[in-house]
Amino acid sequence: MTRHSVPVSRAFEEATLRIGVGDILPLREVPASVKKSIKYGQIAASIREVGIIEPPVVVRDREEPDRYHILDGHLRLEILRDQGTTEVVCLVATEDEAFTYNKRVSRIAIIQEHKMILNAIRKGVPEERLARALNVNISSIRAKRNLLIGMCPEAVELLRDKHVPLNAFTELRKMKPMRQIEAAELMVAMNRYSTGYAKSLVAASPEDQLLAGRRKAVKGLTSDQIALMERESASLDREFRLVEQSYGTDHLDLVLATGYLNRLLDNARIVRHLAQHHAALLDEFQKIADIPNAA
């Protein structure tokens, strides 16, 4: 019996290609506000220290094959321009329809940073080099390395892709595991991840839900006020459980809506048109499509 192979079209050309930075056309400009952000500075420092780790993705111009359009890697390309780099190794997509134009902005959550740092340390990368690559103080690297010590796995899973401040984990570690889970659920439900909110959850926790010796000392609050906060927290927790009852229907509606938006954003022509003529609308569509666990 003869088996016939079915040809499969490649999404990328077989080999990477070294391309002149000036021959790559961006889809959009990188705003000045982005260039001033901490994350932009960290990426720039990382490129200076260890170079490009993930090659940008480009596609050949249909009219001029020696010219290219950037599909993924706008920030990396802009940083290379600013640093005076003249060439960059790229992956070349075979067609622009096979790749979405930066459909999702990859913002690394702190738990993901923690895992990356641990992996790098296990591979023998010194903490000092990591600090230089990320343009941060070495104490920040060590704090992120120890981020999850004292955290229960269930709470970590709830917050794994959330942008939670480092000091908020310091507050969560004051709680016992079950209270950590409840606090993480409330943070997700309220979409509030600030250190101040974490402190308020600690302050509203009954004594028996905190670790020994971690009783809160809240400035300006009497014991009666703290007791009131505890009762209000318990009431909020009951309301949260009621909301859970309608979660299934609401989630289904969200899945249908985000599914439709994802199909739109998977069409490179639509995304290109929106980026050029309705950038603000595209940004809102991306935010909805990127809602965690929606699809």
Side-chain angles (χ1 to χ4, degrees), residues 41 45-46 55 66 70 72 108 114 140 177 205 225 233 240 244 274:
S46 175
D66 291 333
I70 186 78
D72 179 60
I108 300 177
H114 159 80
S140 175
S205 300
Q225 289 172 324
S233 177
F240 175 72
E244 282 187 316
L274 290 173

Side-chain angles (χ1 to χ4, degrees), residues 68-89:
Y68 302 84
H69 298 275
I70 186 78
L71 299 185
D72 179 60
H74 277 79
L75 294 187
R76 280 164 279 164
L77 182 65
E78 187 68 17
I79 288 167
L80 291 173
R81 289 187 202 278
D82 291 345
Q83 293 180 354
T85 302
T86 57
E87 292 183 326
V88 60
V89 174

Side-chain angles (χ1 to χ4, degrees), residues 12 57 71-72 93 95-102 265-268:
F12 300 97
V57 179
L71 299 185
D72 179 60
E95 55 178 337
D96 59 7
E97 300 296 338
F99 203 93
T100 302
Y101 287 82
N102 278 338
L265 296 177
D266 279 334
N267 187 311

Side-chain angles (χ1 to χ4, degrees), residues 108-115 143-176 180 183-184 187-188 193-199 201-202 211 214:
I108 300 177
I110 190 169
I111 290 178
Q112 294 167 331
E113 281 191 71
H114 159 80
K115 292 179 179 178
K144 290 176 180 177
R145 178 194 65 194
N146 299 325
L147 179 75
L148 302 183
I149 294 176
M151 290 293 301
C152 77
E154 292 83 0
V156 171
E157 180 62 22
L158 286 166
L159 300 174
R160 64 184 174 83
D161 58 352
K162 311 302 181 188
H163 295 275
V164 185
L166 188 66
N167 290 334
F169 282 94
T170 301
E171 298 301 317
L172 293 174
R173 285 195 291 268
K174 296 176 182 179
M175 306 174 182
K176 291 182 178 179
Q180 284 183 12
M187 293 173 88
V188 171
Y193 304 102
S194 67
T195 301
Y197 186 58
K199 285 182 177 180
L201 292 174
V202 172
L211 296 176
R214 297 299 184 98

Side-chain angles (χ1 to χ4, degrees), residues 193-235:
Y193 304 102
S194 67
T195 301
Y197 186 58
K199 285 182 177 180
S200 72
L201 292 174
V202 172
S205 300
E207 185 79 37
D208 60 2
Q209 293 183 11
L210 298 175
L211 296 176
R214 297 299 184 98
R215 182 59 187 169
K216 60 270 181 182
V218 183
K219 287 184 178 181
L221 293 181
T222 65
S223 57
D224 288 341
Q225 289 172 324
I226 291 175
L228 176 61
M229 288 183 66
E230 291 176 356
R231 291 194 296 272
E232 290 179 346
S233 177
S235 175

